[in-house]
Amino acid sequence: MKKTYRIGQIVPSSNITMETEIPAIFRARETILPEKFTFHSSRMRMKKVTKEELEAMDAMSLKCATELSDAHVDVMGYACLVAIMSMGKGYHCVSEVNLHQETVANDFPTPIVTSAGALINGLNVLGAKTISVITPYMRPLTDLVVNYIEHQGIKVKESIALEIPDNLEVAAQDPMNLLQIYKQLDLTGIDVLVVSACVQMPSLEAIDLIEKEIGIPVTSAAVCTTYEMMKKLGLEAKAPIGGTLLNGNF
C-alpha cells in the first residue's frame, strides 16, 4: 500500500476554508495512522454566492479536474456544495461522472468526491432520517439546499440561514459561534446536526464540543468530504477529530 497520497481539491477562488479544514483532519489522522498526505488545489472564479456566479463557476470545474489530473492526484474533491446543489436535484451524480471523464480523457482516471454528494452519503452512513442544518447562505439558497437534501430522502426539520452573501465573510466566521447558534434549533427527534452545510464556513473546532453537549452525531460538509476521500482511497476513515463519522466505526 502507498505511504503518501496526493489529495486534489477543486476550489472556488474565494474559498480558503476547504484548504484548512480538510488538511487539518488528514493531519490529525497522521498522528494515529501511518499514511501521509499532500494537498494540491486548482481554482475556479467566484466571489459572491449567487446562483449566477455559482453556475458560471461550475462550468470551470472541468478545466480544474484536468489540471489536477496532470499532477496525478489520488483523489479529487469538488469543494463547493451549493454550486452543485443549485444546478438541479441529484446533480452531484452528473458532476462526479463529468469530472471523472475529464481525468480519463487525460489518461489518469481519478476518483471524484463532491462535497454535495459526500454530505448526503455521510448522513446515510450515520443512519440519518431527520436532520437540522446551519448554513451561511441567503435564505433562497438555503431553501434550495434543504430541498436538495430532502429529494435524497432525508427530512430536514429546521434550517438556519445566516444570510452572508460575501464568500470571504463566510470564511471569516468564528466556528465557536456555532456553540450558541445551534441553540436556536429544537433538536427533538433529529438524528444528526449539520453545523455547516457549506465547505467555506468553518466549523471543525466546534463539532466535537457540540457533539459532547447534545449527545447526537454532529457533522459538516467538510467532514463528510474528508470521510468520502478516505473511503475512495481505500483507507480506514478515521481521525481523532471531526465527530462520530470519523470515529473509525464506519
Side-chain angles (χ1 to χ4, degrees):
M1 213 171 195
K2 290 175 68 159
K3 283 284 177 275
T4 301
Y5 294 84
R6 293 178 195 158
I7 309 294
Q9 298 201 68
I10 299 171
V11 186
S13 54
S14 52
N15 184 310
I16 49 177
T17 308
M18 204 66 179
E19 291 153 309
T20 50
E21 290 202 338
I22 286 184
I25 299 169
F26 276 106
R27 292 282 176 249
R29 187 188 186 282
E30 287 177 347
T31 66
I32 57 167
L33 289 162
E35 294 84 18
K36 300 282 180 236
F37 305 92
T38 62
F39 302 91
H40 314 276
S41 300
S42 180
R43 304 187 103 69
M44 43 193 182
R45 292 293 310 279
M46 191 266 280
K47 289 159 93 170
K48 293 268 184 288
V49 191
T50 61
K51 199 166 188 303
E52 296 69 32
E53 279 210 35
L54 291 169
E55 285 181 10
M57 179 190 77
D58 186 62
M60 295 179 229
S61 63
L62 300 176
K63 175 177 169 283
C64 294
T66 304
E67 290 172 2
L68 286 170
S69 148
D70 287 344
H72 286 196
V73 297
D74 296 296
V75 68
M76 229 176 262
Y78 183 121
C80 189
L81 175 131
V82 74
I84 294 278
M85 293 192 176
S86 70
M87 298 290 283
K89 294 186 175 79
Y91 183 73
H92 65 276
C93 303
V94 178
S95 173
E96 285 163 19
V97 169
N98 291 346
L99 294 168
H100 182 66
Q101 285 309 123
E102 290 296 310
T103 69
V104 171
N106 201 34
D107 299 325
F108 198 79
T110 311
I112 306 290
V113 176
T114 62
S115 49
L119 178 64
I120 302 295
N121 187 58
L123 291 170
N124 285 327
V125 168
L126 290 168
K129 301 276 181 280
T130 306
I131 65 166
S132 286
V133 296
I134 300 169
T135 86
Y137 313 127
M138 305 307 283
R139 177 43 72 183
L141 275 180
T142 299
D143 291 344
L144 189 146
V145 168
V146 167
N147 291 338
Y148 193 101
I149 293 170
E150 293 203 315
H151 179 255
Q152 296 289 317
I154 299 161
K155 186 179 185 305
V156 180
K157 183 183 175 186
E158 286 181 285
S159 61
I160 291 174
L162 298 177
E163 306 225 59
I164 307 164
D166 184 87
N167 209 31
L168 278 174
E169 200 187 320
V170 171
Q173 300 304 300
D174 181 350
M176 300 316 263
N177 291 345
L178 290 164
L179 287 159
Q180 293 309 313
I181 293 168
Y182 91 82
K183 290 175 180 164
Q184 298 167 33
L185 298 164
D186 171 13
L187 302 176
T188 318
I190 71 163
D191 307 307
V192 177
L193 173 62
V194 179
V195 286
S196 178
C198 167
V199 287
Q200 171 76 326
M201 185 170 83
S203 65
L204 187 57
E205 289 166 55
I207 286 174
D208 293 296
L209 297 170
I210 296 173
E211 201 171 86
K212 211 167 170 181
E213 276 186 17
I214 66 177
I216 60 170
V218 175
T219 196
S220 71
V223 166
C224 291
T225 300
T226 312
Y227 169 87
E228 197 66 12
M229 285 175 161
M230 291 177 187
K231 284 293 194 191
K232 293 268 194 214
L233 292 170
L235 299 175
E236 190 182 351
K238 187 176 181 181
I241 57 173
T244 298
L245 187 61
L246 293 173
N247 67 9
N249 293 336
F250 301 102

